[in-house]
Amino acid sequence: MPVPIIAANWKMTTTISEAKALAGSIRSRLEKFKGVQILVFPPFPAIESVLSILSESRIAIGAQNMYFSDRGPYTGEVSPEMIAELCKYVILGHSERRLLLNESDQEIALKIQAASKYKIKPILCVGETFQQKESNQAQQVIERQLYTGTEYLENPIDLMVAYEPIWAIGTGVAATPEEAQLNMEYLRACLEKKYGIESGRKIPLLYGGSVTKENVSKFLYQKDIDGTLIGQASVDPDSFIYIVTQAAKLV
Ligand code: PGA
């Protein structure tokens, strides 16, 4: 298995001082896990402090969002250029932004394009609602989100895609590993269709949605799951360390 990717989305769940404490606590305990790629996504105001706490460590930092324009009068937004000065990864199209902040497929496509321009590696999130799953539309929805999100991305070299069923996020009800695999195999086929078999096969696919220390290995065992994007279980240092330990055992 290639190096598993364990990505921690801290969302808006920590203050700056809590983020610093969390970074300090995982840093010392994660140093030994050479076989796992660990990414953490702190809230914007904590990025710089977390960066300095994790400097010279193997843990990479990313942003949870960014705007698509280079610069200009966009009060409150954060530009790709600013992100690029700080870190190398960004989560784009998270369902919380799509649903709560009305982010459109078109905006997400522009953000993916901007990330590529500034050499920031995006994690494009896709996933269906419960109603869409119940009416057998999951694959149609994730295919649309994938193709529109990558509309302007010619070279997918730095792209990662996270399959995060909306009904599984923060609910404690994860998809079954088999169900996730089925939809992620479909995403893989869509990527291979768009970018060619060789490039499509290399794009890391992450599962997200109620990943815990108990279920993480079952996801990572699946053929088309290269890693996980974790919310709640990533802000508890003990559970996050345990998750990384489980991932390291698979290498
Ligand atoms: P969760 O969140 O692990 O708390 O379900 C995952 C995510 O939103 O990325």
Side-chain angles (χ1 to χ4, degrees):
M1 170 172 187
V3 173
I5 300 161
I6 302 293
N9 178 6
W10 293 355
K11 307 193 181 184
M12 203 181 74
T13 63
T14 63
T15 60
I16 300 176
S17 42
E18 285 163 357
K20 281 157 72 173
L22 181 55
S25 137
I26 60 169
R27 181 189 171 129
S28 53
R29 296 159 71 191
L30 286 177
E31 273 313 302
K32 55 181 185 283
F33 296 109
K34 302 260 182 292
V36 182
Q37 187 181 354
I38 305 165
L39 311 174
V40 302
F41 296 84
F44 275 132
I47 289 183
E48 242 183 316
S49 327
V50 170
L51 259 177
S52 74
I53 293 166
L54 298 180
S55 69
E56 316 275 316
S57 81
R58 296 174 33 262
I59 306 169
I61 320 292
Q64 297 175 16
N65 177 43
M66 67 174 205
Y67 199 54
F68 48 80
S69 289
D70 289 331
R71 61 175 69 196
Y74 304 104
T75 304
E77 291 294 345
V78 176
S79 75
E81 208 175 0
M82 296 173 199
I83 304 282
E85 276 187 284
L86 288 170
C87 51
K88 293 207 161 51
Y89 295 87
V90 65
I91 296 175
L92 295 174
H94 192 282
S95 62
E96 284 153 11
R97 299 199 59 83
R98 291 180 191 263
L99 293 176
L100 304 173
L101 299 157
N102 293 323
E103 215 169 86
S104 68
D105 281 333
Q106 183 58 21
E107 275 174 276
I108 295 160
L110 291 170
K111 290 180 177 196
I112 295 276
Q113 182 186 37
S116 166
K117 177 173 168 194
Y118 285 93
K119 309 230 175 315
I120 306 162
K121 301 174 189 204
I123 300 183
L124 167 63
C125 301
V126 300
E128 81 285 1
T129 62
F130 184 70
Q131 286 77 4
Q132 290 163 336
K133 164 184 145 79
E134 288 301 281
S135 52
N136 284 327
Q137 289 177 300
Q139 295 190 346
Q140 194 184 317
V141 170
I142 60 179
E143 176 178 343
R144 193 205 71 234
Q145 292 174 337
L146 179 70
Y147 284 148
T148 50
T150 57
E151 193 176 342
Y152 311 119
L153 185 73
E154 276 158 32
N155 186 348
I157 185 133
D158 288 330
L159 178 68
M160 289 187 250
V161 177
Y163 170 58
E164 298 205 301
I166 293 167
W167 47 270
I169 296 178
T171 59
V173 183
T176 65
E178 296 73 25
E179 188 175 20
Q181 163 59 28
L182 205 68
N183 287 334
M184 293 170 76
E185 188 177 359
Y186 186 73
L187 286 173
R188 173 80 67 210
C190 293
L191 287 165
E192 288 178 357
K193 192 162 146 202
K194 173 158 180 162
Y195 292 113
I197 306 260
E198 200 164 321
S199 303
R201 201 191 299 139
K202 284 192 198 139
I203 298 171
L205 296 183
L206 315 183
Y207 168 78
S210 295
V211 173
T212 61
K213 60 184 170 35
E214 287 81 20
N215 65 21
V216 66
S217 309
K218 295 191 193 111
F219 286 109
L220 294 175
Y221 269 126
Q222 302 298 318
K223 182 172 148 288
D224 289 293
I225 305 188
D226 306 300
T228 55
L229 178 56
I230 307 166
Q232 223 164 290
S234 74
V235 285
D236 168 7
D238 290 338
S239 104
F240 190 61
I241 307 295
Y242 193 87
I243 285 171
V244 176
T245 316
Q246 296 301 105
K249 283 188 191 156
L250 301 174
V251 186

